[in-house]
Amino acid sequence: MSWFYRGIIRPVLFTQEAEKIHDRALRLLAGVSRDKLLLDIAAALYGAPELPVELFGLRFPNPVGLAAGMDKWAQAVPAWRALGFGFSELGGVTWHAQPGNPVPRLFRALADEAIVNSMGFNNPGAAAFAEALARWKQDDRWPNHPVGVNLGKSKEAALENAPNDYANTFRVLRPHMDFCVVNVSSPNTPNLRRLQDKSALDEILAAVQQNNTGAVPVSILVKVAPDLSFQALDEILELAGPRHLAGIVATNTTITRPASGDARLREIYARPGGLSGRPLRPRSTEVIRHLYRQGRGAWPIIGVGGIFDAADAWEKITAGASLVQIYTSLIYRGPGVVKEIVTGLRQRMTQNGFQRLEQAVGTAATK
């Protein structure tokens, strides 16, 4: 199936504007999500084998998750499990509905298997997003894997009002998610990355945790940028204990660009926004390794950035990631990519004599 997507379907899709194809794909998956027979067919074709991971008090059927940015309207919540994902992170979601940045804002760097996006947290707002999640549960379509939500700052909210903005979104969505990711690292909302500063982030996490009440608190993670210095990453780690962080998502897209002799690539890379895909892989792994070493493995890491196959995922896991996420490789490799990665991870576990994936986490972090 993968060869068919890459050799036949993808060339046709890539003749069309990137965001339009994204929207059409989501509408297709939304239709699949509402039909049990279609979900069953998708699961039969693309479902991944079991490779369970226990984390945050949750059971993940396998360690490969959907990264934030793909499903910002909760359109296809049931479909992600049918495509083999062991968990999904929806959003980003902001307190206020917002259209995002002007189009065009999504570009393929085909030769490097990368994407540049300047979407700007386009989403329906927290209240509408919560209603969409509630409908999936009411319709008995909720997936049997953990569902997280990525929280962003509304563009209209001043930086000094960011704690309240994040807290409002969290409060409304809290009943509908298994874990939460506080996103202060997107490059596409003006000045957002300034909120990665230790004192600013501390205020946001304090405000969110004040609303994290109930018998079972929601696990809260922070998503960091690959462009942060190791010192800045260490300062975020210093908040993990006092603010009861469950873990860290490493990393978001990058504002740096690889050198290229290809004129078309240089044109794409000159556009503003965040870069994802293959060029991000080395730096995201480097950040994961540093966070694992500095935190001594105390705070689980979800590894993101340039994961296209089992070798890439294994690199992230042995560097210190307990789970991984993909986005760009789904676009370039097609719907069979999760199954391929999980199958390859199982093979690598057997080759290395591991009984559980947790045994592999961080094994290469000190090398």
Side-chain angles (χ1 to χ4, degrees):
M1 294 299 292
S2 294
W3 67 265
F4 183 75
Y5 174 84
R6 297 166 196 171
I8 309 269
I9 297 176
R10 191 180 77 178
V12 175
L13 295 179
F14 279 18
T15 63
Q16 304 171 62
E17 196 273 321
E19 188 170 354
K20 288 182 180 178
I21 289 301
H22 175 93
D23 292 343
R24 289 170 186 162
L26 264 292
R27 288 196 294 270
L28 174 64
L29 289 172
V32 171
S33 295
R34 290 189 291 269
D35 189 301
K36 186 179 184 304
L37 176 60
L38 292 178
L39 282 173
D40 289 344
I41 291 172
L45 290 172
Y46 303 116
E50 285 281 302
L51 183 54
V53 175
E54 300 283 342
L55 202 63
F56 315 134
L58 303 168
R59 183 187 184 276
F60 296 78
N62 70 65
V64 181
L66 177 75
M70 181 65 75
D71 194 350
K72 296 184 177 183
W73 266 259
Q75 289 174 267
V77 174
W80 305 120
R81 180 66 183 120
L83 293 181
F85 286 100
F87 64 106
S88 52
E89 184 183 333
L90 310 176
V93 185
T94 56
W95 176 237
H96 298 284
Q98 52 189 43
N101 294 322
V103 297
R105 54 194 180 181
L106 187 65
F107 305 92
R108 307 181 194 97
L110 185 58
D112 281 353
E113 290 189 298
I115 288 175
V116 173
N117 93 84
S118 57
M119 302 299 287
F121 285 148
N122 54 311
N123 75 100
F129 199 89
E131 290 175 5
L133 293 179
R135 283 195 297 272
W136 288 121
K137 288 185 178 180
Q138 291 165 5
D139 295 343
D140 196 27
R141 288 281 190 268
W142 198 254
N144 64 339
H145 72 191
V147 175
V149 180
N150 182 286
L151 308 186
K153 182 187 78 68
S154 302
K155 188 174 182 179
E156 68 181 64
L159 289 182
E160 58 268 25
N161 295 327
N164 189 54
D165 191 73
Y166 279 97
N168 284 337
T169 304
F170 177 81
R171 186 180 63 254
V172 169
L173 292 172
R174 187 192 178 284
H176 309 288
M177 57 186 174
D178 295 309
F179 66 94
C180 162
V181 178
V182 175
N183 185 348
V184 287
S185 53
S186 169
N188 299 320
T189 295
N191 299 316
L192 181 75
R193 288 189 168 194
R194 289 170 56 184
L195 297 177
Q196 293 178 113
D197 175 78
K198 184 178 179 181
S199 60
L201 181 58
D202 187 43
E203 292 180 11
I204 292 169
L205 294 176
V208 169
Q209 288 288 20
Q210 285 176 1
N211 291 273
N212 197 12
T213 56
V216 181
V218 172
S219 295
I220 296 174
L221 298 86
V222 168
K223 189 168 189 174
V224 300
D227 311 301
L228 287 177
S229 67
F230 285 165
Q231 180 180 349
L233 291 168
D234 292 346
E235 290 180 354
I236 292 175
L237 272 179
E238 290 172 5
L239 295 175
R243 291 303 173 199
H244 307 291
L245 284 183
I248 296 176
V249 180
T251 62
N252 213 316
T253 57
T254 180
I255 58 174
T256 63
R257 300 290 189 266
S260 176
D262 185 318
R264 177 56 181 159
L265 283 179
R266 289 199 303 270
E267 179 186 343
I268 297 297
Y269 288 154
R271 297 182 180 275
L275 172 70
S276 64
R278 282 205 180 276
L280 181 56
R281 182 188 60 78
R283 176 57 182 173
S284 66
T285 301
E286 188 177 27
V287 170
I288 291 165
R289 185 178 293 110
H290 177 81
L291 289 170
Y292 184 85
R293 287 172 176 170
Q294 292 299 104
R296 295 183 172 86
W299 287 279
I301 299 166
I302 299 179
V304 199
I307 299 171
F308 279 69
D309 54 31
D312 297 331
W314 189 252
E315 177 186 79
K316 293 284 192 288
I317 290 165
T318 57
S322 296
L323 301 168
V324 296
Q325 290 178 325
I326 64 171
Y327 178 130
T328 305
S329 62
L330 182 63
I331 295 169
Y332 279 98
R333 295 300 179 93
V337 66
V338 179
K339 184 176 184 178
E340 292 176 0
I341 292 174
V342 175
T343 299
L345 287 177
R346 285 164 56 99
Q347 293 170 350
R348 280 165 172 75
M349 283 179 56
T350 300
Q351 292 166 0
N352 287 274
F354 297 131
Q355 301 298 314
R356 305 185 319 278
L357 191 66
E358 293 92 323
Q359 295 173 314
V361 173
T363 52
T366 57
K367 294 181 181 179

